[in-house]
Amino acid sequence: MVKLAEKCNIQVPMEVVNLIDDGKNPDEFTKDVINSCIAKNQITKGKTDALKSLRKNLLEELEQNFPDEVETFRESRAAAAAELKRQAQAQSALPNGDVRVKSEH
């Protein structure tokens, strides 16, 4: 066991060790962490949705009052997005036309 332990690099959170010392199931820790992540994800999604809604409402209001400027803005955003997409595709393309795939480590 000592020989195998030297080659093994596993880090166990202290919370899990404390739960085991208290005679509790370490799966509870995992469940709590996952539930916490889900709750934080829902909060973040709510904020993101609120910002998307704000942006949509602002653009609608701006379009009513400044239609020419909003059209120019949308055209510049579309052009910038197309350029970014072109750059991303160029970076992932190999000389023979194949697409580079990221290797997993």
Side-chain angles (χ1 to χ4, degrees), residues 13 15 17-18 23 31-32 41 43 45-46 49 58 60-61 63 68-70 76 78 86 93-94 98 102:
E15 292 92 343
V17 175
N18 291 337
K31 183 177 113 181
D32 292 342
N41 186 40
I43 291 169
K45 184 182 181 318
D49 290 346
L58 285 173
E60 288 173 357
E61 290 289 324
E63 191 168 30
D68 295 337
E69 288 83 354
V70 170
S76 68
R86 186 194 63 73
L94 298 172
D98 289 345
K102 290 183 180 178

Side-chain angles (χ1 to χ4, degrees), residues 32-100:
D32 292 342
V33 168
I34 289 173
N35 286 337
S36 174
C37 288
I38 290 170
K40 289 177 182 178
N41 186 40
Q42 289 174 341
I43 291 169
T44 302
K45 184 182 181 318
K47 290 177 181 179
T48 302
D49 290 346
L51 286 172
K52 285 180 184 177
S53 177
L54 174 64
R55 181 181 185 278
K56 179 182 172 242
N57 290 335
L58 285 173
L59 277 173
E60 288 173 357
E61 290 289 324
L62 286 169
E63 191 168 30
Q64 289 177 4
N65 296 301
F66 307 102
D68 295 337
E69 288 83 354
V70 170
E71 184 61 29
T72 302
F73 169 75
R74 286 191 170 138
E75 288 171 359
S76 68
R77 293 270 303 171
E83 178 62 19
L84 285 174
K85 184 176 179 181
R86 186 194 63 73
Q87 288 176 356
Q89 289 173 344
Q91 289 176 354
S92 65
L94 298 172
N96 65 359
D98 289 345
V99 176
R100 184 176 305 140

Side-chain angles (χ1 to χ4, degrees), residues 14-28:
M14 282 304 298
E15 292 92 343
V16 173
V17 175
N18 291 337
L19 282 173
I20 293 170
D21 286 344
D22 293 342
K24 297 179 182 172
N25 187 344
D27 289 343
E28 292 296 318

